Amino acid sequence: MSDVVELRPVTAQNLDACLALRVHPDQEGFVAPNVRSLAEAYVHPEAQTRVIHHGSELVGFVLFHPVEVGRPDQGHCIVRFMVDHRFQGQGIGRRALRAALDWVSREHHTDVVQLSFRPENVRARSFYRAAGFEDTGEVSEGEIVMRWTVP
């Protein structure tokens, strides 16, 4: 299998595979199922979904949304980011997050990407810090907000 990790659109051909992706059972309380994310993207046309491919294998999913609709200068959010449990612990998540950051900064000409996670998800905090995200000191809907700025 190739080491290339890339984002691709969600299509009729990969929809079932996208919906079948699952995190570890102990992570289920931290990330909404992909079906919910797809439904949110349907009702929020400014949102964008992508599946994560590692070589030819579909391994994860990401949902993007502007920080503030109509204000691209405010940056974009990674609202959901998940890698299927079968592909965790292999370095794919790090490369997938890098691909997501590259994609959103290129496609939306933004220098700022933010995300949030539940405080009890200590693995997420460590993962995002290692990727260059910084704490903002903000809490949104009970979640810790972190921000990444293009180096």
Side-chain angles (χ1 to χ4, degrees):
M1 179 183 293
S2 167
D3 277 343
V4 175
V5 175
E6 63 183 350
L7 303 186
R8 298 180 187 169
V10 176
T11 65
Q13 291 74 31
N14 64 27
L15 177 62
D16 288 339
C18 177
L19 294 174
L21 296 170
R22 299 284 183 269
V23 293
H24 282 288
D26 64 337
Q27 298 168 325
E28 288 175 355
F30 297 136
V31 63
N34 292 344
V35 68
R36 176 168 177 100
S37 296
L38 290 167
E40 287 178 19
Y42 178 79
V43 299
H44 297 285
E46 63 280 352
Q48 293 178 291
T49 60
R50 291 293 182 270
V51 288
I52 302 165
H53 275 260
H54 178 237
S56 62
E57 190 88 43
L58 195 153
V59 301
F61 175 83
V62 62
L63 172 65
F64 300 98
H65 194 282
V67 169
E68 189 174 326
V69 177
R71 299 270 324 267
D73 59 311
Q74 297 298 307
H76 258 66
C77 294
I78 295 176
V79 179
R80 303 269 159 56
F81 178 84
M82 66 85 68
V83 173
D84 187 87
H85 66 93
R86 297 168 295 158
F87 302 99
Q88 292 181 14
Q90 301 172 34
I92 295 170
R94 285 189 308 276
R95 294 196 309 269
L97 183 57
R98 178 80 247 162
L101 292 169
D102 290 346
W103 183 89
V104 73
S105 62
R106 180 181 66 248
E107 291 297 315
H108 294 284
H109 311 288
T110 186
D111 293 339
V112 178
V113 179
Q114 70 181 39
L115 51 73
S116 64
F117 58 91
R118 294 179 51 185
E120 60 271 21
N121 191 350
V122 294
R123 290 176 56 198
R125 180 187 294 249
S126 176
F127 176 73
Y128 295 131
R129 276 190 178 155
F133 280 83
E134 297 177 350
D135 289 308
T136 65
E138 299 171 50
V139 175
S140 176
E141 297 180 16
E143 294 192 344
I144 295 170
V145 178
M146 295 185 90
R147 184 172 293 126
W148 176 86
T149 305
V150 173

